[in-house]
């Protein structure tokens, strides 16, 4: 089944403890992206990747890192999480990076709580 | 600066009561406008892409239209299973990797 898989689905951690949220897609998609969703603010783009080894900032990149060493994986790294990073995170992918009008496929989200 | 604004924030309809959701945008060089549906606890699911003013697309009870400044998602004779949050997003020519979402309209259809 074609899908975007995020892990974990739920994560509770403490301030300052490094964590990684994994994202993997099995559709051979070029483009991948991370979003966070907060009540009243909607979906905001954190980082995106047009292809392997090519990443760029979205609207809210502060406090996050990403890497794209292989086509299928796009992990989101929080080196020193803070409570304001408590949010619902979504990973998404699309087939071709320059086919901007092709639809995004989203994972089912990771709910992160930082205390 | 908000580039995509959706209204209303929430909408309650009785089953069969048709209505429209609005998405207005201020981006220059629009390349595409998207509608997504999001159910609680899940990621957004793609519905439509609109490219140019005057374009219309339909899927079951949903019809999306686009003008130079806004898009409408018309829901005809909705059913309870249409209850969800509907998200609008846009891309622009200068930043093809970026997608700008509105805050969504939470639709509830009651029997």
């Amino acid at each position: 089944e074609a899908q975007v898989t995020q892990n974990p689905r739920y994560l509770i951690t403490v301030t300052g403890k490094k964590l990684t949220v994994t994202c993997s897609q099995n559709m051979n998609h070029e483009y991948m992206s991370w979003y966070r969703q907060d009540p009243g603010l909607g979906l905001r783009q954190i980082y995106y990747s047009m292809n392997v080894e090519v990443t760029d900032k979205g609207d809210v990149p502060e406090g996050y890192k990403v890497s794209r060493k292989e086509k299928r994986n796009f992990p989101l790294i929080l080196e020193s999480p803070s409570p304001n990073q408590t949010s619902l995170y979504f990973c998404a992918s699309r087939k071709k990076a320059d086919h901007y009008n092709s639809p995004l496929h989203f994972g089912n989200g990771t709910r992160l709580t930082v205390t | 600066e908000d580039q995509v604004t959706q209204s209303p924030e929430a909408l309650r309809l009785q089953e069969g009561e048709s209505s429209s959701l609005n998405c207005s945008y201020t981006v220059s060089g629009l390349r595409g406008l998207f509608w997504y549906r999001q159910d609680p606890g899940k990621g957004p699911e793609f519905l439509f892409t609109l490219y140019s003013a005057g374009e219309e697309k339909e899927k079951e009870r949903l019809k999306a239209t686009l003008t130079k400044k806004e898009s409408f998602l018309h829901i005809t004779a909705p059913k309870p299973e249409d209850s969800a949050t509907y998200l609008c997003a846009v891309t622009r020519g200068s930043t093809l990797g970026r997608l700008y979402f509105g805050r969504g309209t939470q639709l509830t259809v009651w029997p």
Side-chain angles (χ1 to χ4, degrees):
Chain A
E1 180 187 353
Q3 59 186 0
V4 178
T5 303
Q6 296 178 227
N7 280 297
R9 288 295 309 277
Y10 302 91
L11 179 59
I12 300 174
T13 189
V14 297
T15 299
K17 186 176 181 182
K18 182 179 178 180
L19 66 91
T20 298
V21 183
T22 64
C23 174
S24 180
Q25 50 90 6
N26 63 0
M27 297 169 281
N28 200 35
H29 284 180
E30 284 185 356
Y31 175 95
M32 297 183 76
S33 185
W34 276 102
Y35 295 85
R36 62 176 290 174
Q37 188 172 39
D38 302 289
L41 295 178
L43 278 162
R44 293 179 293 168
Q45 195 169 20
I46 304 171
Y47 270 96
Y48 64 96
S49 170
M50 299 289 271
N51 213 326
V52 177
E53 301 291 1
V54 181
T55 63
D56 210 342
K57 297 177 182 178
D59 291 314
V60 288
E62 297 79 17
Y64 304 95
K65 284 179 59 176
V66 293
S67 68
R68 186 94 181 272
K69 299 188 186 307
E70 353 166 54
K71 202 170 187 179
R72 64 182 294 127
N73 296 323
F74 191 44
L76 180 69
I77 303 158
L78 286 72
E79 299 233 333
S80 184
S82 62
N84 64 12
Q85 292 179 297
T86 292
S87 186
L88 179 58
Y89 291 86
F90 288 101
C91 180
S93 70
R94 73 173 181 236
K95 188 172 185 179
K96 289 287 189 181
D98 59 353
H99 289 190
Y100 46 83
N101 284 334
S102 61
L104 283 176
H105 299 260
F106 282 85
N108 276 331
T110 295
R111 187 167 292 281
L112 172 65
T113 303
V114 184
T115 61
Chain B
E1 178 189 349
D2 283 341
Q3 302 195 55
V4 182
T5 303
Q6 291 188 246
S7 62
E9 289 186 14
L11 181 63
R12 287 177 56 87
L13 299 173
Q14 188 169 13
E15 185 171 3
E17 179 187 1
S18 302
S19 187
S20 296
L21 313 182
N22 177 265
C23 171
S24 63
Y25 59 92
T26 57
V27 295
S28 58
L30 179 79
R31 287 298 186 95
L33 185 141
F34 304 81
W35 283 98
Y36 286 84
R37 169 192 170 127
Q38 186 175 22
D39 293 301
K42 294 195 172 182
E45 180 183 330
F46 172 75
L47 292 173
F48 304 108
T49 306
L50 301 166
Y51 300 89
S52 57
E55 189 174 3
E56 299 181 351
K57 288 194 177 172
E58 289 188 63
K59 179 179 180 179
E60 296 181 0
R61 295 177 292 281
L62 300 177
K63 179 180 177 180
T65 63
L66 181 65
T67 72
K68 286 188 177 179
K69 292 187 177 182
E70 58 191 349
S71 176
F72 293 94
L73 185 65
H74 308 277
I75 304 176
T76 301
K79 298 182 178 181
E81 53 261 43
D82 294 322
S83 297
T85 297
Y86 291 86
L87 302 171
C88 172
V90 300
T91 56
R92 58 185 187 186
S94 59
T95 51
L96 295 180
R98 300 288 303 277
L99 189 64
Y100 303 92
F101 279 87
R103 299 179 184 186
T105 293
Q106 186 173 12
L107 174 67
T108 304
V109 182
W110 48 285

